[in-house]
Amino acid sequence: MESRIERLCVERGLKMTGQRRVIARVLSDADDHPDVEELYRRAVALDARISIATVYRTVRLLEERGILERRDFGGGRARYEPTEHGHHYHLIDVDSGRVIEFEDRSHEQVLAAIAQRLGFDLVSHRLELFGRRIAAAKPVGAPDAGTDAAPRRRKDRPA
Amino acid sequence: MESRIERLCVERGLKMTGQRRVIARVLSDADDHPDVEELYRRAVALDARISIATVYRTVRLLEERGILERRDFGGGRARYEPTEHGHHYHLIDVDSGRVIEFEDRSHEQVLAAIAQRLGFDLVSHRLELFGRRIAAAKPVGAPDAGTDAAPRRRKDRPA
DNA sequence: TTAGGTGCAAAGAGTTTGCTCGTAT
DNA sequence: ATACGAGCAAACTCTTTGCACCTAA
């Protein structure tokens, strides 16, 4: 059946190849923030006839078409998520790399005001929290959000 | 004369080579957020016997020693600034790459509270504004902050 | 039919590293 | 004297691209 992302692609008149359909499905099913390698791994599991170059080309295309958003949480690899399932921010678990999303409407205006004061129109902004899970307390409203793990490699240094 | 950064190096027992002295001077004199290539360019101008590998090794060392802080403003290149001339945030001019610093004490507690609510202790955070200069108004309190220009290259895409 | 997508391998950009030689302490 | 730093080039990681071939519309 047609995935959500595939539908968006069709709406925007993109040619739907087998590879794109698979990548669209993977993206639609993801509830985390996979990087290209991870997307590639999941896509290949569904259909081996996909190269990583195609994944790179596809995420770039979808980003240009406003279907995907690229994130940079440090560590050198770009990560992707579907556009706009609500404006939200990210809290990155520094121990596991897991990403928790949260909302905070109040920030927007405050930041725009700050920019204004400095003589700028706010075009966009980046707000990320890095935190460590509190041992005792069970988090509320943040059900374990998928397998976002970013297996720290040698080169990795905190952003 | 001994630069501020050099003094910090000596205090921490680092062996002071000619190259390190030059790099320390460049860093002490910088009031912007240079990337490694820019540091290299400035260092070579003072003393040609410096290789870019040494600049990389030195900034990494100084970062580990807490003397420098690495910044990632998107665009793939890490940028550096001396640690703690006060807690501050950055506003990046999307047209020129120029970086304006600003303070905002009020954020800290708000963000810590948000993390707490999600079950996390706030370890660190990242807040960056991307803006476009307002044509009419002259900015207040942000005297043209150095030559921070990041000459956008082909590969660059907004963070 | 044909504009555009794909795979592969090579190229790039930024950064790190092995090795040999040099030097601060 | 010697432990540590420097220069150079090669290696690495992530991402893009040239080219010959393939396929959706």
Side-chain angles (χ1 to χ4, degrees), chain B:
Chain B
M1 178 251 175
E2 192 181 56
S3 68
R4 194 183 81 87
I5 300 284
E6 179 177 351
R7 192 172 333 116
L8 291 171
C9 291
V10 173
E11 279 170 19
R12 286 164 221 223
L14 299 181
K15 190 188 278 190
M16 288 314 290
T17 63
Q19 289 87 330
R20 285 197 184 157
R21 236 180 289 274
V22 170
I23 295 170
R25 149 120 301 122
V26 166
L27 286 167
S28 298
D29 290 350
D31 63 341
D32 50 356
H33 306 70
D35 58 30
V36 169
E37 252 183 76
E38 179 61 27
L39 289 173
Y40 174 61
R41 239 175 275 126
R42 296 181 194 179
V44 163
L46 299 184
D47 181 343
R49 288 169 309 178
I50 293 181
S51 79
I52 197 162
T54 296
V55 179
Y56 272 109
R57 281 194 268 239
T58 303
V59 292
R60 170 163 240 190
L61 176 70
L62 298 201
E63 193 205 353
E64 284 163 357
R65 292 302 199 278
I67 296 173
L68 280 189
E69 284 182 10
R70 175 202 334 234
R71 301 290 175 193
D72 168 16
F73 296 144
R77 312 184 280 302
R79 300 170 65 167
Y80 293 86
E81 69 179 327
T83 293
E84 280 314 296
H85 41 113
H87 235 21
H88 62 268
Y89 298 103
H90 299 96
L91 185 159
I92 296 91
D93 183 325
V94 295
D95 294 317
S96 71
R98 213 169 263 103
V99 176
I100 286 86
E101 303 182 348
F102 67 93
E103 301 201 30
D104 187 321
R105 297 268 43 162
S106 72
H107 265 89
E108 229 96 344
Q109 305 117 65
V110 180
L111 300 181
I114 291 174
Q116 206 70 26
R117 177 157 42 81
L118 297 170
F120 285 78
D121 281 327
L122 189 63
V123 171
S124 68
H125 65 279
R126 181 148 90 168
L127 169 61
E128 280 142 32
L129 310 189
F130 296 84
R132 194 177 321 269
R133 196 144 226 160
I134 299 171
K138 269 278 179 293
V140 255
D144 228 314
T147 14
D148 238 329
R152 295 269 163 199
R153 306 183 184 184
R154 179 85 42 246
K155 188 186 163 192
D156 282 18
R157 283 178 291 167

Side-chain angles (χ1 to χ4, degrees), chain A residues 21-92:
Chain A
R21 235 180 290 276
V22 170
I23 296 170
R25 149 120 301 120
V26 167
L27 286 167
S28 297
D29 290 351
D31 63 340
D32 49 356
H33 306 70
D35 57 30
V36 169
E37 251 184 76
E38 178 60 26
L39 289 173
Y40 174 61
R41 242 176 272 127
R42 297 180 193 179
V44 163
L46 299 185
D47 181 343
R49 287 169 308 177
I50 292 182
S51 79
I52 196 161
T54 295
V55 179
Y56 271 109
R57 282 194 268 238
T58 302
V59 292
R60 170 162 239 191
L61 176 70
L62 299 202
E63 193 206 353
E64 284 164 355
R65 293 302 200 279
I67 296 173
L68 281 189
E69 283 183 11
R70 175 204 333 237
R71 301 290 174 193
D72 168 16
F73 297 144
R77 312 185 277 306
R79 300 169 66 166
Y80 292 87
E81 68 179 328
T83 293
E84 282 314 294
H85 39 111
H87 234 22
H88 61 268
Y89 298 103
H90 298 96
L91 186 158
I92 296 93

